[in-house]
Coordinates of all heavy atoms in Angstrom, one line a residue:
M230 N 77.8 55.8 41.5 CA 77.1 57.1 41.1 C 76.5 57.0 39.7 O 75.5 57.4 39.6 CB 78.2 58.2 41.1 CG 78.5 58.7 42.6 SD 79.4 60.2 42.6 CE 81.1 59.6 42.7
L231 N 77.2 56.4 38.8 CA 76.8 56.2 37.5 C 76.0 54.9 37.3 O 75.2 54.8 36.3 CB 77.8 56.3 36.4 CG 78.6 57.6 36.3 CD1 79.7 57.5 35.1 CD2 77.7 58.7 36.0
S232 N 76.1 54.0 38.2 CA 75.4 52.7 38.1 C 73.9 52.9 38.2 O 73.5 54.1 38.4 CB 75.8 51.7 39.1 OG 75.3 52.1 40.4
N233 N 73.2 51.9 37.8 CA 71.7 52.1 37.9 C 71.2 52.5 39.3 O 70.1 53.0 39.5 CB 71.0 50.7 37.5 CG 71.1 50.5 36.1 OD1 71.0 51.4 35.3 ND2 71.3 49.3 35.7
N234 N 72.0 52.3 40.4 CA 71.7 52.7 41.7 C 72.1 54.0 42.1 O 72.0 54.5 43.2 CB 72.2 51.6 42.7 CG 71.7 50.3 42.5 OD1 70.6 50.1 42.1 ND2 72.6 49.3 42.6
G235 N 72.8 54.7 41.1 CA 73.3 56.1 41.4 C 72.2 57.2 41.5 O 71.1 56.9 41.1
T236 N 72.6 58.3 42.0 CA 71.7 59.4 42.2 C 71.3 60.0 40.8 O 72.2 60.1 39.9 CB 72.2 60.5 43.1 OG1 73.3 61.1 42.4 CG2 72.6 60.0 44.4
S237 N 70.0 60.4 40.6 CA 69.7 61.0 39.3 C 70.3 62.3 39.0 O 70.6 62.6 37.8 CB 68.2 61.1 39.2 OG 67.7 62.0 40.2
E238 N 70.7 63.1 40.0 CA 71.4 64.3 39.8 C 72.7 64.1 39.1 O 73.0 64.9 38.1 CB 71.5 65.1 41.0 CG 70.2 65.6 41.7 CD 69.6 64.6 42.6 OE1 70.3 63.6 42.9 OE2 68.4 64.8 42.9
I239 N 73.5 63.2 39.5 CA 74.8 63.0 38.9 C 74.6 62.4 37.5 O 75.2 62.7 36.6 CB 75.5 62.0 39.8 CG1 76.0 62.7 41.1 CG2 76.9 61.5 39.1 CD1 76.6 61.9 42.1
Q240 N 73.7 61.5 37.4 CA 73.4 60.9 36.1 C 73.0 62.0 35.1 O 73.5 62.0 33.9 CB 72.3 59.8 36.1 CG 72.8 58.7 36.9 CD 71.7 57.5 37.0 OE1 70.6 57.7 36.4 NE2 72.0 56.5 37.8
I241 N 72.2 62.9 35.4 CA 71.8 64.1 34.6 C 73.0 64.9 34.2 O 73.1 65.3 33.1 CB 70.6 64.9 35.3 CG1 69.4 64.1 35.4 CG2 70.5 66.3 34.6 CD1 68.3 64.6 36.2
Q242 N 73.8 65.2 35.1 CA 75.0 66.0 34.9 C 76.0 65.3 33.9 O 76.5 65.9 33.0 CB 75.8 66.3 36.2 CG 75.1 67.3 37.1 CD 75.9 67.6 38.4 OE1 76.5 66.7 38.9 NE2 75.6 68.7 39.0
V243 N 76.1 64.0 34.1 CA 77.0 63.2 33.2 C 76.4 63.2 31.8 O 77.1 63.4 30.8 CB 77.2 61.8 33.7 CG1 77.9 60.9 32.7 CG2 78.1 61.8 35.0
K244 N 75.0 63.0 31.7 CA 74.5 63.0 30.3 C 74.6 64.3 29.7 O 74.8 64.4 28.5 CB 73.0 62.6 30.5 CG 72.7 61.2 30.7 CD 71.2 60.9 30.8 CE 71.0 59.5 31.2 NZ 69.5 59.2 31.3
Q245 N 74.5 65.5 30.5 CA 74.7 66.8 29.9 C 76.1 67.0 29.4 O 76.3 67.5 28.3 CB 74.4 67.8 31.0 CG 74.3 69.2 30.4 CD 73.3 69.4 29.2 OE1 72.2 68.9 29.3 NE2 73.7 70.2 28.3
L246 N 77.1 66.5 30.2 CA 78.5 66.5 29.7 C 78.6 65.7 28.4 O 79.4 66.2 27.5 CB 79.4 66.1 30.8 CG 79.6 67.0 32.0 CD1 80.4 66.3 33.1 CD2 80.2 68.3 31.5
L247 N 78.0 64.6 28.3 CA 78.1 63.7 27.1 C 77.5 64.4 26.0 O 78.0 64.4 24.8 CB 77.5 62.4 27.4 CG 78.2 61.4 28.3 CD1 77.4 60.2 28.7 CD2 79.5 61.0 27.7
K248 N 76.4 65.1 26.2 CA 75.7 65.9 25.1 C 76.6 67.0 24.6 O 76.8 67.1 23.3 CB 74.4 66.5 25.5 CG 73.3 65.6 25.5 CD 72.0 66.3 26.0 CE 70.8 65.4 26.2 NZ 69.6 66.0 26.6
Q249 N 77.2 67.7 25.5 CA 78.1 68.8 25.1 C 79.3 68.2 24.3 O 79.7 68.8 23.3 CB 78.5 69.5 26.4 CG 77.5 70.4 27.0 CD 77.8 70.9 28.3 OE1 78.9 70.6 28.9 NE2 77.0 71.7 29.0
N250 N 79.8 67.2 24.8 CA 80.9 66.6 24.1 C 80.6 66.1 22.7 O 81.3 66.3 21.7 CB 81.5 65.3 24.9 CG 82.7 64.8 24.2 OD1 83.7 65.4 24.0 ND2 82.6 63.5 23.9
A251 N 79.4 65.5 22.6 CA 78.9 65.1 21.3 C 78.7 66.2 20.3 O 79.0 66.2 19.1 CB 77.6 64.2 21.4
Q252 N 78.1 67.3 20.8 CA 77.9 68.4 20.0 C 79.2 69.0 19.5 O 79.2 69.5 18.3 CB 77.2 69.5 20.8 CG 76.6 70.6 20.0 CD 75.7 71.6 20.8 OE1 75.8 71.7 22.0 NE2 74.7 72.1 20.1
V253 N 80.3 69.0 20.2 CA 81.5 69.6 19.9 C 82.4 68.6 19.0 O 83.0 69.0 18.1 CB 82.3 70.1 21.1 CG1 83.8 70.5 20.7 CG2 81.6 71.3 21.8
N254 N 82.4 67.4 19.5 CA 83.4 66.4 18.8 C 82.8 65.4 17.9 O 83.5 64.7 17.2 CB 84.1 65.7 20.0 CG 84.9 66.6 20.8 OD1 85.7 67.4 20.4 ND2 84.7 66.7 22.2
I255 N 81.4 65.3 17.9 CA 80.9 64.2 17.0 C 80.1 64.8 15.9 O 80.3 64.5 14.7 CB 80.0 63.2 17.8 CG1 80.9 62.5 18.8 CG2 79.3 62.3 16.9 CD1 80.2 61.5 19.7
L256 N 79.1 65.8 16.2 CA 78.3 66.4 15.2 C 79.0 67.0 14.0 O 78.6 66.7 12.8 CB 77.3 67.4 15.8 CG 76.2 66.9 16.7 CD1 75.3 68.1 17.1 CD2 75.4 65.8 16.1
P257 N 80.2 67.6 14.2 CA 80.8 68.2 13.0 C 81.4 67.2 12.1 O 81.7 67.5 10.9 CB 81.9 69.0 13.6 CG 81.5 69.3 15.0 CD 80.7 68.1 15.4
H258 N 81.5 65.9 12.6 CA 82.1 64.9 11.7 C 81.1 63.9 11.2 O 81.5 62.9 10.5 CB 83.1 64.2 12.6 CG 84.2 65.1 13.1 ND1 85.1 65.7 12.3 CD2 84.3 65.5 14.3 CE1 85.9 66.5 13.1 NE2 85.4 66.4 14.3
L259 N 79.8 64.1 11.4 CA 78.7 63.1 10.9 C 78.7 63.2 9.4 O 78.8 64.2 8.8 CB 77.4 63.5 11.6 CG 77.3 63.2 13.1 CD1 75.9 63.6 13.5 CD2 77.6 61.7 13.4
S260 N 78.4 62.0 8.8 CA 78.1 62.0 7.4 C 76.6 62.1 7.1 O 76.3 62.3 5.9 CB 78.6 60.6 6.8 OG 77.9 59.6 7.5
I261 N 75.8 62.3 8.1 CA 74.3 62.5 7.8 C 74.1 64.0 8.1 O 74.8 64.7 8.8 CB 73.5 61.7 8.8 CG1 73.8 62.0 10.3 CG2 73.6 60.2 8.5 CD1 72.9 61.3 11.2
K262 N 73.1 64.5 7.3 CA 72.7 65.9 7.4 C 71.6 66.1 8.4 O 70.7 65.3 8.4 CB 72.2 66.4 6.1 CG 73.3 66.4 5.0 CD 74.3 67.4 5.3 CE 75.4 67.4 4.2 NZ 76.6 68.0 4.6
I263 N 71.8 67.0 9.4 CA 70.8 67.3 10.3 C 70.1 68.6 9.9 O 70.7 69.6 9.6 CB 71.4 67.6 11.7 CG1 72.2 66.4 12.1 CG2 70.4 68.0 12.7 CD1 73.1 66.5 13.3
S264 N 68.8 68.5 9.7 CA 68.0 69.5 9.0 C 67.6 70.7 9.9 O 67.4 71.9 9.4 CB 66.8 69.0 8.3 OG 65.9 68.5 9.3
D265 N 67.5 70.4 11.2 CA 67.1 71.5 12.1 C 67.5 71.3 13.6 O 68.0 70.2 13.9 CB 65.6 71.8 12.0 CG 64.8 70.7 12.4 OD1 65.2 69.8 13.2 OD2 63.7 70.5 11.8
K266 N 67.2 72.2 14.4 CA 67.6 72.1 15.9 C 66.9 71.0 16.6 O 67.4 70.4 17.5 CB 67.5 73.4 16.6 CG 68.4 74.5 16.2 CD 69.9 74.1 16.7 CE 70.8 75.2 16.4 NZ 72.2 74.8 16.8
T267 N 65.7 70.8 16.2 CA 65.0 69.6 16.8 C 65.6 68.3 16.5 O 65.8 67.5 17.4 CB 63.5 69.6 16.3 OG1 62.8 70.9 16.6 CG2 62.7 68.5 16.9
E268 N 66.0 68.0 15.3 CA 66.7 66.8 15.0 C 68.1 66.7 15.7 O 68.4 65.7 16.2 CB 67.0 66.7 13.5 CG 65.8 66.3 12.6 CD 66.1 66.1 11.2 OE1 67.3 66.0 10.8 OE2 65.1 65.9 10.4
E269 N 68.7 67.8 15.8 CA 70.0 67.9 16.5 C 69.8 67.5 18.0 O 70.5 66.8 18.6 CB 70.7 69.3 16.4 CG 72.0 69.4 17.1 CD 72.6 70.7 17.0 OE1 72.8 71.2 15.8 OE2 72.9 71.3 18.0
R270 N 68.8 68.1 18.6 CA 68.5 67.8 20.0 C 68.2 66.3 20.2 O 68.7 65.8 21.2 CB 67.2 68.6 20.4 CG 66.9 68.5 21.9 CD 65.8 69.4 22.3 NE 64.7 69.6 21.4 CZ 63.5 68.9 21.6 NH1 63.3 68.1 22.7 NH2 62.5 69.1 20.8
Y271 N 67.4 65.7 19.3 CA 67.1 64.3 19.5 C 68.4 63.4 19.2 O 68.6 62.4 19.9 CB 66.0 63.9 18.7 CG 64.6 64.2 19.3 CD1 63.9 65.4 18.8 CD2 64.2 63.6 20.3 CE1 62.7 65.7 19.4 CE2 63.0 63.9 21.0 CZ 62.3 65.0 20.5 OH 61.1 65.3 21.1
L272 N 69.1 63.9 18.2 CA 70.4 63.1 18.0 C 71.3 63.2 19.1 O 72.0 62.2 19.5 CB 71.0 63.6 16.7 CG 72.4 62.9 16.3 CD1 72.1 61.4 16.1 CD2 72.9 63.5 15.1
L273 N 71.5 64.4 19.7 CA 72.3 64.5 20.9 C 71.8 63.7 22.1 O 72.6 63.1 22.8 CB 72.5 65.9 21.3 CG 73.3 66.8 20.4 CD1 73.1 68.3 20.7 CD2 74.8 66.4 20.4
A274 N 70.5 63.6 22.2 CA 69.9 62.8 23.3 C 70.2 61.4 23.1 O 70.6 60.6 24.0 CB 68.4 63.1 23.4
Y275 N 70.1 60.9 21.8 CA 70.4 59.5 21.4 C 71.8 59.1 21.7 O 72.1 58.1 22.4 CB 70.1 59.3 19.9 CG 70.6 58.0 19.4 CD1 69.8 56.8 19.6 CD2 71.7 57.9 18.6 CE1 70.2 55.6 19.1 CE2 72.1 56.7 18.1 CZ 71.4 55.6 18.3 OH 71.8 54.4 17.8
L276 N 72.7 60.0 21.3 CA 74.2 59.7 21.4 C 74.5 59.7 22.9 O 75.3 58.8 23.4 CB 75.0 60.7 20.7 CG 74.9 60.7 19.1 CD1 75.6 61.9 18.5 CD2 75.5 59.4 18.6
S277 N 74.1 60.7 23.6 CA 74.5 60.8 25.0 C 73.9 59.7 25.9 O 74.6 59.1 26.7 CB 74.1 62.1 25.6 OG 72.8 62.3 25.6
N278 N 72.7 59.2 25.6 CA 72.0 58.1 26.3 C 72.7 56.8 25.9 O 72.9 56.0 26.8 CB 70.5 58.1 26.2 CG 69.9 59.1 27.0 OD1 69.8 59.0 28.2 ND2 69.4 60.2 26.5
A279 N 73.1 56.6 24.7 CA 73.8 55.4 24.3 C 75.1 55.3 25.0 O 75.4 54.2 25.6 CB 74.0 55.4 22.8
M280 N 75.9 56.4 25.1 CA 77.2 56.3 25.8 C 76.9 56.1 27.3 O 77.7 55.4 27.9 CB 78.0 57.5 25.5 CG 78.5 57.6 24.0 SD 79.4 56.1 23.5 CE 80.8 56.1 24.6
F281 N 76.0 56.7 27.8 CA 75.7 56.6 29.2 C 75.3 55.2 29.6 O 75.8 54.6 30.5 CB 74.5 57.6 29.7 CG 74.4 57.6 31.2 CD1 75.3 58.4 31.9 CD2 73.4 57.0 31.8 CE1 75.1 58.4 33.4 CE2 73.2 56.9 33.1 CZ 74.1 57.7 33.9
G282 N 74.5 54.6 28.7 CA 74.1 53.2 28.9 C 75.3 52.3 28.8 O 75.5 51.3 29.6
L283 N 76.2 52.6 27.9 CA 77.5 51.7 27.7 C 78.3 51.8 29.1 O 78.8 50.8 29.6 CB 78.2 52.3 26.6 CG 79.5 51.4 26.2 CD1 79.0 50.3 25.3 CD2 80.4 52.3 25.5
L284 N 78.4 53.0 29.6 CA 79.1 53.2 30.8 C 78.4 52.5 32.1 O 79.1 51.9 32.9 CB 79.3 54.7 31.1 CG 80.3 55.5 30.3 CD1 80.2 57.0 30.6 CD2 81.6 55.0 30.5
Q285 N 77.1 52.6 32.1 CA 76.4 51.9 33.1 C 76.6 50.4 33.0 O 76.8 49.8 34.1 CB 74.9 52.3 33.1 CG 74.5 53.6 33.7 CD 73.0 53.8 33.8 OE1 72.3 53.5 32.8 NE2 72.6 54.3 34.9
E286 N 76.5 49.9 31.9 CA 76.6 48.5 31.7 C 78.0 48.0 32.2 O 78.2 47.0 32.9 CB 76.4 48.0 30.3 CG 76.5 46.6 30.0 CD 75.5 45.7 30.7 OE1 74.4 46.2 31.1 OE2 75.9 44.5 31.0
W287 N 79.0 48.8 31.8 CA 80.4 48.5 32.2 C 80.5 48.5 33.7 O 81.1 47.6 34.3 CB 81.3 49.4 31.5 CG 82.8 49.3 31.8 CD1 83.5 48.2 31.5 CD2 83.6 50.2 32.5 NE1 84.8 48.5 31.8 CE2 84.9 49.6 32.5 CE3 83.4 51.5 33.0 CZ2 86.0 50.3 33.0 CZ3 84.6 52.2 33.6 CH2 85.8 51.6 33.6
L288 N 80.0 49.5 34.3 CA 80.0 49.6 35.8 C 79.3 48.5 36.5 O 79.7 47.8 37.4 CB 79.6 51.0 36.3 CG 80.4 52.1 36.0 CD1 79.6 53.4 36.2 CD2 81.8 52.1 36.7
D289 N 78.1 48.2 36.0 CA 77.2 47.2 36.6 C 77.7 45.8 36.4 O 77.4 45.0 37.3 CB 75.8 47.3 36.1 CG 75.1 48.6 36.5 OD1 75.4 49.3 37.6 OD2 74.0 48.9 35.9
S290 N 78.5 45.6 35.4 CA 79.1 44.3 35.3 C 80.4 44.1 35.8 O 81.1 43.1 35.6 CB 79.0 43.9 33.8 OG 79.9 44.8 33.1
G291 N 80.8 45.0 36.6 CA 82.1 44.9 37.4 C 83.3 45.3 36.7 O 84.4 45.0 37.1
K292 N 83.2 46.1 35.7 CA 84.3 46.8 34.9 C 85.3 45.7 34.6 O 86.6 45.8 34.8 CB 85.1 47.9 35.8 CG 84.1 49.0 36.2 CD 84.9 50.2 36.8 CE 85.3 49.7 38.2 NZ 85.9 50.8 39.0
K293 N 84.8 44.7 33.9 CA 85.7 43.5 33.6 C 86.7 43.9 32.4 O 87.8 43.3 32.3 CB 84.8 42.3 33.1 CG 84.0 41.8 34.2 CD 83.1 40.7 33.8 CE 82.2 40.3 35.0 NZ 81.0 39.5 34.5
E294 N 86.2 44.8 31.6 CA 87.1 45.2 30.5 C 87.9 46.5 31.0 O 87.4 47.3 31.8 CB 86.3 45.7 29.3 CG 85.4 44.5 28.7 CD 84.2 44.2 29.5 OE1 83.7 45.1 30.2 OE2 83.6 43.2 29.2
S295 N 89.0 46.7 30.4 CA 89.8 47.9 30.7 C 89.1 49.1 30.0 O 88.3 48.9 29.1 CB 91.2 47.8 30.2 OG 91.2 47.8 28.8
P296 N 89.3 50.4 30.5 CA 88.8 51.5 29.9 C 89.2 51.6 28.3 O 88.4 51.9 27.5 CB 89.3 52.7 30.6 CG 89.6 52.2 31.9 CD 90.1 50.7 31.7
E297 N 90.4 51.1 28.1 CA 90.8 51.1 26.6 C 90.0 50.1 25.8 O 89.7 50.3 24.6 CB 92.3 50.7 26.5 CG 93.2 51.7 27.2 CD 93.3 51.7 28.7 OE1 92.9 50.7 29.3 OE2 93.8 52.7 29.3
E298 N 89.7 48.9 26.4 CA 88.9 47.9 25.7 C 87.5 48.4 25.5 O 86.9 48.2 24.5 CB 88.9 46.6 26.4 CG 88.1 45.5 25.8 CD 88.6 45.1 24.3 OE1 89.7 45.4 24.0 OE2 87.6 44.5 23.6
L299 N 87.0 49.1 26.5 CA 85.7 49.7 26.4 C 85.6 50.7 25.3 O 84.6 50.7 24.5 CB 85.2 50.2 27.7 CG 83.8 50.8 27.8 CD1 82.7 49.8 27.6 CD2 83.6 51.6 29.1
A300 N 86.6 51.5 25.1 CA 86.7 52.4 24.1 C 86.8 51.8 22.7 O 86.1 52.2 21.8 CB 87.9 53.4 24.2
R301 N 87.5 50.7 22.6 CA 87.6 49.9 21.4 C 86.2 49.3 21.0 O 85.8 49.3 19.9 CB 88.6 48.8 21.4 CG 90.0 49.3 21.2 CD 91.1 48.2 21.1 NE 91.2 47.4 22.3 CZ 92.0 47.7 23.2 NH1 92.8 48.8 23.2 NH2 92.1 47.0 24.3
I302 N 85.5 48.7 22.0 CA 84.2 48.2 21.8 C 83.2 49.3 21.3 O 82.4 49.1 20.3 CB 83.6 47.6 23.1 CG1 84.4 46.3 23.5 CG2 82.2 47.2 23.0 CD1 84.1 45.7 24.8
A303 N 83.3 50.5 22.0 CA 82.4 51.6 21.6 C 82.7 52.0 20.1 O 81.8 52.3 19.3 CB 82.6 52.8 22.5
D304 N 83.9 52.0 19.7 CA 84.3 52.3 18.4 C 83.7 51.3 17.4 O 83.3 51.7 16.2 CB 85.8 52.4 18.2 CG 86.4 53.7 18.7 OD1 85.7 54.7 19.0 OD2 87.6 53.7 18.9
R305 N 83.7 50.1 17.7 CA 83.2 49.0 16.8 C 81.7 49.0 16.8 O 81.1 48.6 15.7 CB 83.7 47.7 17.3 CG 85.2 47.4 17.1 CD 85.5 45.9 17.2 NE 85.2 45.4 18.5 CZ 86.1 45.3 19.5 NH1 87.2 45.8 19.4 NH2 85.7 44.8 20.7
I306 N 81.0 49.4 17.8 CA 79.5 49.2 17.8 C 78.7 50.4 17.4 O 77.6 50.4 17.1 CB 79.0 48.6 19.1 CG1 79.3 49.7 20.3 CG2 79.6 47.3 19.4 CD1 78.6 49.2 21.6
V307 N 79.4 51.6 17.3 CA 78.7 52.7 16.8 C 78.4 52.6 15.3 O 79.3 52.2 14.6 CB 79.6 54.1 17.0 CG1 78.9 55.3 16.4 CG2 79.8 54.3 18.5
P308 N 77.1 52.8 15.0 CA 76.7 52.6 13.6 C 77.6 53.5 12.7 O 77.8 54.6 12.9 CB 75.3 53.1 13.5 CG 74.8 53.0 14.9 CD 76.0 53.2 15.9
F309 N 78.1 52.9 11.6 CA 79.0 53.6 10.7 C 78.4 54.8 10.0 O 79.1 55.7 9.7 CB 79.6 52.5 9.7 CG 78.6 52.1 8.7 CD1 78.3 52.9 7.5 CD2 77.9 51.0 8.9 CE1 77.4 52.3 6.6 CE2 76.9 50.5 8.0 CZ 76.7 51.2 6.9
Q310 N 77.1 54.8 9.9 CA 76.4 56.0 9.3 C 76.6 57.3 10.1 O 76.5 58.3 9.6 CB 75.0 55.8 9.1 CG 74.6 54.7 8.2 CD 74.5 53.3 8.9 OE1 74.8 53.2 10.0 NE2 73.9 52.4 8.2
L311 N 76.9 57.1 11.4 CA 77.1 58.3 12.2 C 78.4 58.9 12.1 O 78.6 60.1 12.6 CB 76.8 57.9 13.7 CG 75.4 57.5 14.1 CD1 75.3 57.1 15.5 CD2 74.4 58.7 13.7
V312 N 79.4 58.2 11.7 CA 80.8 58.8 11.6 C 81.3 59.0 10.2 O 80.8 58.4 9.3 CB 81.8 57.9 12.5 CG1 81.4 58.0 13.9 CG2 81.7 56.5 12.0

């Protein structure tokens, strides 16, 4: 469903959930200043698509890493300026 072969409706729903999660759990902790709603919208799109791409890659490559290892990888590769 989330792989590159999944339906676009499910992918859109997952991205929307990722955006909502980023808005609640990431934006309040950013060290960068967001000047307006337009910047916020693009930042949320960036973050949600990055996480969605990470999940797609994990699924498409056969889930070789455990979910815990994937979370550790995500923590290491997120640019430090964002947190």
Side-chain angles (χ1 to χ4, degrees):
M230 286 193 261
L231 294 182
S232 71
N233 287 322
N234 299 325
T236 65
S237 61
E238 293 85 14
I239 292 174
Q240 292 178 4
I241 290 168
Q242 287 178 335
V243 170
K244 286 181 187 179
Q245 187 60 35
L246 289 171
L247 289 168
K248 279 183 186 179
Q249 291 169 357
N250 183 57
Q252 190 170 33
V253 171
N254 296 308
I255 296 175
L256 288 186
H258 304 286
L259 291 179
S260 60
I261 60 174
K262 296 291 181 198
I263 299 167
S264 64
D265 58 32
K266 289 292 184 185
T267 300
E268 283 186 10
E269 180 179 306
R270 180 170 49 96
Y271 281 104
L272 180 57
L273 288 171
Y275 170 79
L276 292 170
S277 62
N278 280 289
M280 290 307 298
F281 188 80
L283 189 83
L284 290 171
Q285 278 188 316
E286 179 62 26
W287 181 64
L288 292 169
D289 290 343
S290 64
K292 301 188 289 185
K293 295 174 185 165
E294 300 81 12
S295 69
E297 294 80 14
E298 179 60 21
L299 185 63
R301 283 192 290 277
I302 291 169
D304 283 344
R305 286 194 303 270
I306 63 175
V307 171
F309 67 89
Q310 295 90 349
L311 292 177
V312 291

